[in-house]
Amino acid sequence: MTTDPLSSTFAALADPTRRAILARLAAGPATVKELSAPFAMSGPAVSKHLRVLERAGLIVRGREAQWRPCTLEAAPLKEVAAWAENYRRFWDANYERLDDYLQHLKEREKNHDHGK
Amino acid sequence: MTTDPLSSTFAALADPTRRAILARLAAGPATVKELSAPFAMSGPAVSKHLRVLERAGLIVRGREAQWRPCTLEAAPLKEVAAWAENYRRFWDANYERLDDYLQHLKEREKNHDHGK
């Protein structure tokens, strides 16, 4: 089964530990050891989460065999933000008022044209 | 196992059919029958997706036994957008330039103070 990129991203984000790992990496690259400490998790448990994040393209890992520092890759998060923004008019009252105002302008314009 | 709201939302969004259902509902409420048609899916298959969306608070369903129209609930998507926006500085070059500029202003201010 192939998964589309956006579905992979959402699936990777559907876990509070993985989101916390991304938040930690926002402060700079970190090794598995550095990532394990604050989560009171074993190295293998953290590595499992890192594999999910890596497959989703949300992190990249260094090539140095022993350290392999993880770095945040935010490009998929841009897609998430853009996707969610499509629904802004359903939660943003200002946006709704702007919509109403544009509608009002359009109608005034139409009435004005008819009045000519 | 209890799941935090944001994880439930991300899990519900990790499926292209469920995202297509939300896109359809952005145009207005729809019944299961109306939602099944464009997806070439059986009613029960669509109903299963609707249950996931309903549990995540992304849709609400009407009370009328036979029709139970589905309506989009965008509040959880606002949380998704807000969460992703935390990472904007990692993908937005303008934001980065603004950061650099503010840093520059701060340093100029500091040098100015020291020069007094």
Side-chain angles (χ1 to χ4, degrees):
Chain A
M1 203 185 88
T2 58
T3 309
D4 66 286
L6 197 51
S7 294
S8 296
T9 306
F10 281 130
L13 297 177
D15 181 281
T17 303
R18 289 197 289 270
R19 295 197 303 278
I21 289 172
L22 295 179
R24 163 62 190 81
L25 294 177
T31 62
V32 174
K33 202 180 158 197
E34 287 168 330
L35 289 170
S36 307
F39 299 113
M41 282 177 90
S42 67
V46 169
S47 289
K48 204 174 154 189
H49 283 306
L50 294 177
R51 275 198 297 278
V52 177
L53 291 170
E54 196 177 12
R55 271 200 303 266
L58 286 160
I59 65 167
V60 288
R61 304 196 64 182
R63 289 288 135 234
E64 306 81 43
Q66 203 164 359
W67 301 103
R68 305 203 66 205
C70 303
T71 307
L72 178 68
E73 271 287 304
L77 299 181
K78 183 181 181 176
E79 301 306 317
V80 166
W83 182 87
E85 282 299 323
N86 290 326
Y87 295 88
R88 173 176 288 279
R89 65 184 183 281
F90 294 101
W91 76 67
D92 192 336
N94 285 326
Y95 194 103
E96 218 164 275
R97 276 200 294 273
L98 180 67
D99 251 13
D100 288 350
Y101 180 64
L102 292 174
Q103 193 58 36
H104 165 77
L105 287 182
K106 230 186 273 178
E107 269 158 32
R108 214 173 56 171
E109 185 80 3
K110 205 166 66 183
N111 293 340
H112 182 81
D113 287 352
H114 285 178
K116 263 184 196 163
Chain B
M1 203 185 88
T2 57
T3 309
D4 65 288
L6 197 50
S7 294
S8 296
T9 307
F10 281 131
L13 297 177
D15 181 281
T17 304
R18 288 197 289 270
R19 294 198 303 277
I21 289 172
L22 294 180
R24 163 62 189 81
L25 294 178
T31 62
V32 173
K33 204 181 157 195
E34 287 167 330
L35 289 170
S36 307
F39 299 113
M41 283 178 90
S42 67
V46 169
S47 289
K48 203 174 154 188
H49 283 307
L50 294 177
R51 275 197 297 277
V52 177
L53 291 170
E54 197 177 10
R55 271 200 302 268
L58 286 160
I59 64 166
V60 287
R61 304 196 65 183
R63 290 289 136 235
E64 306 81 44
Q66 205 166 356
W67 301 104
R68 306 204 65 203
C70 302
T71 307
L72 178 69
E73 271 286 303
L77 299 181
K78 183 181 180 176
E79 301 306 317
V80 166
W83 182 87
E85 282 299 323
N86 289 326
Y87 295 88
R88 173 175 289 277
R89 66 184 182 279
F90 294 101
W91 76 69
D92 192 336
N94 286 326
Y95 194 104
E96 219 166 274
R97 276 199 295 273
L98 179 68
D99 251 15
D100 288 351
Y101 181 63
L102 291 175
Q103 192 59 37
H104 165 77
L105 286 184
K106 229 187 275 177
E107 269 159 30
R108 212 173 56 171
E109 185 79 3
K110 206 166 66 184
N111 293 339
H112 183 81
D113 287 352
H114 285 179
K116 266 184 193 164

